[in-house]
Amino acid sequence: MNLKEKFTELLTDIGFEKNEIQKNWLDLEKAYSKKSRYYHNLTHIKNMVKSFESYSDKLQKRNEILFSIFYHDYIYSSSKKDNELKSAEFALSVLSENIQLDRKLVFDAILATQQHQKNIVEDINWLIDFDLKILARDWNEYQIYFEQIRKEYRIYPDFLYKPGRAKALKHFLENDFIFQTEEFRSLYEEKARLNIEKEILLLQ
């Protein structure tokens, strides 16, 4: 799957001009290709788009969710707490008045990737699960993931990073479920919990 083609197809579909699409793609590519991004990069977007393609028939508003996937980590700094809000605001700033898209859904969907909590909008629950699917990868892939996250937070020494990361992971375990859709729970819940428990042990 070619990410640029998928992006171009989406933006054409919702009413962007050709020259705007090219500019937006270059901006997106630049943002996700910064040297500081070891995990929150185009590979992460690609994996989410793959999940989207597998489950797009479950979605009411496919274009909104796909647009949200492309922009949900557009702004990403490990030292900031408002990445999702800034990304949501940026995503809306890209949309001119003639673009056919539910702006509130896009904004709410991107914002929901901060807390990953059950949402009343089912489409947003799918987006959350696409974002968290990495947690249920085989252990060796999961290990690569958390090593990449550690590199993104390399400005923090271990004595700060480890308790912070452990706290964030425990938060997932304290919820009744990590995943918000029935499908993802039945497929991935158990595996994700085992991976998280294992990582927490390594952090102690």
Side-chain angles (χ1 to χ4, degrees), residues 13-62:
D13 198 30
I14 59 177
F16 276 87
E17 299 294 330
K18 203 170 185 178
N19 61 330
E20 294 176 305
I21 295 172
Q22 178 65 8
K23 182 197 177 300
N24 286 331
W25 170 255
L26 291 173
D27 289 347
L28 194 89
E29 193 176 40
K30 188 180 172 187
Y32 282 100
S33 302
K34 286 177 182 162
K35 283 191 167 63
S36 57
R37 292 182 181 239
Y38 293 88
Y39 175 71
H40 293 92
N41 53 30
L42 289 173
T43 303
H44 172 53
I45 301 302
K46 198 169 199 171
N47 287 331
M48 284 183 71
V49 172
K50 275 183 195 165
S51 293
F52 166 85
E53 288 180 331
S54 302
Y55 293 97
S56 65
D57 60 325
K58 308 276 186 191
L59 301 167
Q60 300 298 311
K61 296 196 170 179
R62 294 184 184 91

Side-chain angles (χ1 to χ4, degrees), residues 141-196:
E141 287 179 68
Y142 181 85
Q143 220 170 345
I144 292 166
Y145 149 71
F146 71 66
E147 284 164 2
Q148 289 169 337
I149 296 292
R150 180 64 185 107
K151 284 179 185 170
E152 288 187 341
Y153 283 83
R154 67 195 180 285
I155 60 165
Y156 298 104
D158 276 354
F159 77 88
L160 286 176
Y161 176 79
K162 286 184 173 184
R165 174 73 177 167
K167 187 184 174 187
L169 292 171
K170 282 172 185 166
H171 182 67
F172 281 122
L173 299 181
E174 283 158 9
N175 291 334
D176 292 337
F177 296 102
I178 292 168
F179 296 104
Q180 308 306 329
T181 63
E182 293 293 338
E183 273 88 345
F184 272 57
R185 279 176 196 169
S186 61
L187 288 168
Y188 304 121
E189 186 75 25
E190 196 181 338
K191 186 79 171 282
R193 284 183 177 270
L194 286 171
N195 281 341
I196 288 170

